[in-house]
Amino acid sequence: MPIGKEKIFQLAKGFRGRAKNCIKIARSRVEKALQHSYVSRKLKKRDWRTLWIARINAGTREHLMSYSRFMHGLATQNVVVNRKVLSELAMTEPFSFKALVDQVRFMRGPAGLQQAADTGDAAAGRAQAEARSEQR
């Protein structure tokens, strides 16, 4: 469906040179601009997701866990929190985020607690000691 002349000129406002007032040039420039805007809407979503993953990764590394193990642990426990919210928690609510990391570490069992104890995480070491006392 072709775009009308008035609509083309309306969309071409602000373009440089003849691209704003010559219909043949304006039509091609507007079509290309619309293509770029379509692609950029997809790229924007990709860029945000990349940023959220980087923030979550930084938060999990502070607590001596990798991003992939953290996300896998959340998935296995059916914790449904999206990356945007996890990113905000990592930045603005470090204690809440640490509680999630500790929960994942605890649910991984002795291997997760042992890994944290080996790396020097005091909270995980306490959790490991509590788990041993419960078993006795």
Side-chain angles (χ1 to χ4, degrees):
M1 184 172 151
I3 304 174
K5 194 181 212 180
E6 294 82 21
K7 183 70 172 176
I8 291 288
F9 285 135
Q10 183 181 7
L11 291 171
K13 266 193 178 169
F15 287 5
R16 294 179 61 145
R18 290 192 305 162
K20 68 175 171 278
N21 54 17
C22 182
I23 189 65
K24 283 177 93 173
I25 299 170
R27 180 170 280 123
S28 66
R29 296 299 348 150
V30 165
E31 285 177 2
K32 183 58 81 173
L34 292 173
Q35 289 173 0
H36 284 302
S37 68
Y38 176 81
V39 170
S40 294
R41 284 194 298 272
K42 309 302 176 201
L43 291 175
K44 182 167 65 169
K45 293 168 182 63
R46 186 188 310 169
D47 291 342
W48 276 109
R49 182 182 166 96
T50 303
L51 178 66
W52 296 332
I53 289 173
R55 287 175 177 173
I56 296 168
N57 189 22
T60 56
R61 296 288 174 173
E62 284 182 2
H63 302 296
L64 307 171
M65 183 177 279
S66 70
Y67 169 80
S68 60
R69 288 190 180 174
F70 176 68
M71 293 306 286
H72 177 71
L74 290 178
T76 56
Q77 296 174 37
N78 294 324
V79 176
V80 184
V81 182
N82 62 20
R83 286 172 177 81
K84 180 179 180 180
V85 172
L86 285 172
S87 154
E88 288 297 317
L89 281 176
M91 287 177 34
T92 59
E93 295 287 334
F95 294 113
S96 302
F97 189 76
K98 183 170 180 359
L100 280 174
V101 173
D102 290 341
Q103 180 67 24
V104 168
R105 185 174 284 131
F106 180 74
M107 293 307 287
R108 287 190 64 216
L113 296 174
Q114 183 61 39
Q115 178 191 11
D118 290 344
T119 55
D121 189 2
R126 286 193 300 272
Q128 183 180 14
E130 290 173 15
R132 283 186 191 151
S133 66
E134 289 176 8
Q135 289 175 352
R136 292 181 185 165

